[in-house]
Amino acid sequence: MKKKVVVIGGGYGGLRAIEHLALQADMDVTLIDKHPYHYLQTEAYGYIAGRFDLHDVVIDLQDWCSGFKKKVTFIYDHATDIDFASQKVKLCSSEVAYDYLIIATGAKTNFFSFIEGLREHSFGVKSLHRAHNFRAEFEKIIYKKLQNEDDAQEINLAIGGAGLSGVEVAAEMANVVAVYKKTLGNRVASVKIHLIDASKTILPGMSDFLVQSTHKRLKALGVHILTDAFIQKMDDSYIYFKNGDTLAYHFMIFTGGIKASDLNEKVDVQKNRILQFLPDERLNIGGYENVFAVGDCVEIKDANGRILPPTAQTAERSAEYAAAAIRKKIDKQEINPFDAKVLGVFIALGGRYASGELFGTIKVTGYSAYLLKKAITYAYYLGLKLRLNTGYKNRTKTL
């Protein structure tokens, strides 16, 4: 009898796990997600700034799953809880039994409660609808400048959090403003981009090379960088800092923190302060050897105990491990502890410019780094698109 393998979450980790599991003839694979699409969060910076369109950042999950020729079932529903004793995932309208389970539900923006007004007055990039809302507002600002409305009014756009997502959004938006200056001239000169972080530097925790090359590029784009800046509260017009300074703003994107998805709150296993699961060395949670957690919903460490950054790369490596571990578990083979490290980091810095580091030794900036990042992203997107097209054709034949 085939083993029932269930994956919750259609993000980077969930899809990578499905790709490996679908190759196994003795497994029935089911993907569950509360959204009907896969959102390429790593491309959010371009979508927000208007350089990418919706079709560049989303993939239909039903058609993608259909591309595996009936080997993968997709359930569009919200996983509300997990009954480990009976080995069932509870959904809003039903439940799904499993022999093996991979939880890959990702994370959402952590709008810190100690910053008054933050959630009410800022946008996140972790969810598509929030990114879409900010894109609309950004385009509205540019449109008003085109119509010569409020020509002299200074417009401050704030990005809270100078980590990877924050600097990419700031750089792309500043680059878009610079491009518009070539056609609209001084009409858009009053649009200012402010990048704010409480740390003493941008990209905290990253290499000196990435910090310095990114800082140089942001300054060249005219981004106003505010580090060591603690936001105390916000209202609909001003950002108030703990040192007494204020910043009048029109919109803010907040990328300063994450916390695990809603499902983590319901599941009664050990978690950290941002509700990420704390797994054992084999990425099992709660002591259940048939339940794995991968990606942003879990705190993942390397062999030396260092916490790995919550990136698409980490999600994919952990998902590959979980899929392989299930195979070994079924075959009664020994499963080695999870061990992975960050192979490289590429940061999109507006237009055809990037900064990157591979294996800790290869360092590139500018157009060459952009081409490398573009190649990596395109390879991932092309793989999804080919599977999607196959699935679309399969579904059309059965309609």
Side-chain angles (χ1 to χ4, degrees):
M1 182 179 293
K2 292 185 177 182
K3 296 295 184 180
K4 297 177 181 178
V5 184
V6 174
V7 178
I8 309 175
Y12 289 94
L15 266 57
R16 182 53 60 89
I18 293 290
E19 288 175 347
H20 287 261
L21 295 168
L23 300 174
Q24 311 301 317
D26 57 348
M27 296 183 191
D28 281 330
V29 183
T30 298
L31 172 64
I32 301 169
D33 199 283
K34 63 182 179 180
H35 298 298
Y37 54 80
H38 167 63
Y39 170 39
L40 282 73
Q41 290 183 28
T42 56
E43 302 302 285
Y45 67 93
Y47 179 68
I48 286 171
R51 192 155 68 92
F52 301 153
D53 291 322
L54 192 60
H55 67 81
D56 295 315
V57 297
V58 294
I59 290 289
D60 182 86
L61 285 176
Q62 179 62 74
D63 281 342
W64 184 82
C65 288
S66 296
F68 291 97
K69 299 179 180 179
K70 299 183 179 181
K71 293 182 179 179
V72 179
T73 300
F74 175 60
I75 298 177
Y76 171 32
D77 204 341
H78 193 167
T80 59
D81 205 349
I82 300 170
D83 187 335
F84 295 113
S86 64
Q87 296 191 172
K88 292 181 179 179
V89 177
K90 296 183 179 181
L91 308 178
C92 289
S93 56
S94 62
E95 56 186 24
V96 179
Y98 67 84
D99 295 307
Y100 294 92
L101 176 65
I102 297 178
I103 305 173
T105 48
K108 57 186 179 180
T109 302
N110 188 4
F111 295 97
F112 301 129
S113 59
F114 57 80
I115 301 178
E116 182 184 340
L118 177 64
R119 183 173 184 84
E120 294 82 1
H121 301 292
S122 63
F123 299 85
V125 298
K126 282 291 186 181
S127 66
L128 180 60
H129 82 274
R130 282 186 171 270
H132 177 76
N133 288 344
F134 189 88
R135 175 193 172 111
E137 296 294 347
F138 183 56
E139 290 179 339
K140 187 186 298 183
I141 288 172
I142 299 298
Y143 180 75
K144 285 184 176 181
K145 290 297 180 182
L146 176 64
Q147 296 295 323
N148 211 23
E149 298 179 28
D150 301 324
D151 185 45
Q153 182 184 11
E154 185 170 277
I155 295 177
N156 295 318
L157 305 181
I159 294 93
L164 187 59
S165 295
V167 299
E168 288 190 328
V169 171
E172 193 60 53
M173 290 176 61
N175 184 72
V176 169
V177 171
V179 170
Y180 273 110
K181 283 181 183 178
K182 296 177 181 179
T183 54
L184 303 183
N186 288 329
R187 292 189 191 183
V188 295
S190 58
V191 178
K192 310 293 184 182
I193 310 298
H194 299 261
L195 181 63
I196 306 166
D197 202 288
S199 298
K200 295 186 179 299
T201 178
I202 63 171
L203 299 174
M206 293 197 178
S207 71
D208 290 341
F209 167 76
L210 289 175
V211 171
Q212 292 168 11
S213 60
T214 299
H215 192 279
K216 181 179 179 181
R217 170 63 173 173
L218 291 174
K219 296 298 288 185
L221 287 170
V223 176
H224 299 265
I225 302 172
L226 288 73
T227 52
D228 207 13
F230 294 81
I231 299 175
Q232 185 173 41
K233 65 178 182 177
M234 295 175 60
D235 57 29
D236 57 3
S237 300
Y238 290 92
I239 298 171
Y240 301 88
F241 297 94
K242 287 189 177 180
N243 66 358
D245 291 343
T246 61
L247 175 66
Y249 78 104
H250 280 69
F251 302 104
M252 178 196 250
I253 294 179
F254 187 71
T255 67
I258 64 167
K259 65 178 179 180
S261 65
D262 295 339
L263 180 63
N264 284 44
E265 297 182 24
K266 296 289 186 66
V267 178
D268 187 19
V269 298
Q270 191 176 11
K271 287 165 277 196
N272 63 14
R273 61 181 180 80
I274 58 172
L275 302 180
Q276 290 175 311
F277 297 128
L278 295 176
D280 62 19
E281 61 184 5
R282 293 178 178 82
L283 301 186
N284 297 129
I285 63 169
Y288 300 100
E289 295 184 0
N290 64 335
V291 179
F292 299 83
V294 304
D296 294 359
C297 72
V298 60
E299 181 182 287
I300 300 177
K301 298 180 179 179
D302 63 17
N304 297 316
R306 292 188 293 262
I307 297 176
L308 294 174
T311 62
Q313 182 182 160
T314 300
E316 291 177 345
R317 297 293 85 76
S318 58
E320 291 167 359
Y321 171 86
I326 290 174
R327 177 73 271 165
K328 291 180 179 179
K329 192 75 176 174
I330 293 173
D331 295 339
K332 302 186 185 307
Q333 296 177 359
E334 182 180 354
I335 302 173
N336 295 323
F338 175 75
D339 182 23
K341 57 184 177 181
V342 178
L343 300 177
V345 177
F346 282 89
I347 306 172
L349 293 173
R352 296 182 176 184
Y353 195 103
S355 184
E357 195 172 52
L358 280 171
F359 313 116
T361 56
I362 302 173
K363 299 175 174 60
V364 286
T365 59
Y367 185 60
S368 57
Y370 163 80
L371 289 177
L372 285 170
K373 179 175 173 58
K374 190 75 173 177
I376 294 169
T377 303
Y378 181 73
Y380 175 80
Y381 181 74
L382 181 61
L384 293 180
K385 200 69 179 289
L386 291 173
R387 184 73 65 183
L388 175 74
N389 290 339
T390 301
Y392 173 76
K393 293 174 183 177
N394 287 342
R395 289 184 70 200
T396 300
K397 290 176 182 178
T398 60
L399 291 178

